[in-house]
Amino acid sequence: HLEALTSFPVERKVSPNCWAAILDGGLDAYRSRLSYKARKIVRDSESAIGTGVGQFEIAQTIEQALDFVDKIEHMHQARWREKDIEGCFTASSFKIFLTSAIRQMWHEPWFGTHDTPVVESTSVQRVQVALLRIQGVPAAGCICYLDRDSLATYLTGMDTHFAEHRPGWMLNTCIIKRAMALGCTRLDFLRGDEDYKERLG
């Protein structure tokens, strides 16, 4: 049936880049690979977390993870509405897919590298749902997945009312540290050419 396919037009176009942060060598080595401006923003973010301006938390149960997802959905959709664009949660099927995936993957083990054994879900969750609060209010959040020695940020959300505090940068700084703590050598930002991905990746 290959001949039948030749009658269909094929369109090729440049797609967004896939950025990733290489975490080999620890935090200091990672910082040294950043531009001066990005390095300063990361240090400012670390300081904001250290002084309690931002509070970072990883969901420990499915119930808490789904509660975080609701908050991330609200932030994600609100930001797209500001740009007059429909976000992915506009389709109810996406929320059903997302929550179902989290439920099904919550107890799955994730696979280590050739140097490390499979890590059972009793010690490390494959699904990592994070929330960053400022003044006790959700300001940013993300849903991440572990795969071997990589942590991938699948979906994020940020409340632009807290933009002056740079919650997105605070969140990303915490996620980078989280990835390192889990033994990951790579933080995968997946597809997209947002400015922060290029600066951190």
Side-chain angles (χ1 to χ4, degrees):
H1 302 290
L2 187 60
E3 295 80 6
L5 294 177
T6 60
S7 63
F8 289 93
V10 176
E11 179 185 2
R12 291 184 179 182
K13 58 183 179 180
V14 177
S15 65
N17 287 298
C18 295
W19 300 98
I22 305 305
L23 308 178
D24 285 336
L27 190 59
D28 288 339
Y30 169 72
R31 284 201 205 100
S32 70
R33 293 191 286 268
L34 299 175
S35 68
Y36 172 79
K37 187 173 182 179
R39 191 160 58 244
K40 183 181 185 306
I41 296 174
V42 167
R43 289 190 183 279
D44 289 345
S45 298
E46 290 178 301
S47 177
I49 295 294
T51 57
V53 173
Q55 302 87 43
F56 176 77
E57 187 177 5
I58 294 284
Q60 300 300 309
T61 65
I62 293 179
E63 292 73 25
Q64 189 180 32
L66 295 179
D67 176 60
F68 283 8
V69 168
D70 287 340
K71 293 174 171 59
I72 293 168
E73 174 189 1
H74 176 76
M75 292 184 285
H76 183 89
Q77 288 296 98
R79 191 171 187 189
W80 283 116
R81 279 195 298 270
E82 289 178 0
K83 300 180 179 180
D84 199 28
I85 298 174
E86 290 188 351
C88 54
F89 287 99
T90 302
S92 59
S93 57
F94 178 76
K95 180 71 173 290
I96 294 170
F97 155 74
L98 186 63
T99 55
S100 176
I102 290 173
R103 287 183 180 278
Q104 291 184 39
M105 296 178 70
W106 190 261
H107 295 296
E108 286 185 4
W110 66 281
F111 299 95
T113 65
H114 62 280
D115 295 323
T116 58
V118 171
V119 179
E120 297 298 337
S121 60
T122 52
S123 58
V124 178
Q125 296 294 346
R126 184 175 183 186
V127 184
Q128 301 275 301
V129 186
L131 196 69
L132 179 94
R133 293 183 175 89
I134 293 177
Q135 300 168 356
V137 180
C142 65
I143 301 166
C144 305
Y145 293 95
L146 280 164
D147 182 28
R148 297 177 176 83
D149 60 347
S150 178
L151 182 66
T153 56
Y154 174 67
L155 189 142
T156 63
M158 187 194 83
D159 187 338
T160 55
H161 292 99
F162 293 98
E164 64 180 285
H165 295 287
R166 290 184 162 171
W169 280 89
M170 275 195 265
L171 177 70
N172 280 307
T173 298
C174 290
I175 288 296
I176 287 167
K177 289 187 172 184
R178 176 67 176 174
M180 289 182 180
L182 292 170
C184 296
T185 58
R186 176 186 176 93
L187 178 62
D188 193 338
F189 293 112
L190 301 183
R191 188 176 61 177
D193 282 319
E194 292 88 339
D195 179 65
Y196 75 89
K197 291 184 179 182
E198 182 176 2
R199 289 190 178 188
L200 292 173

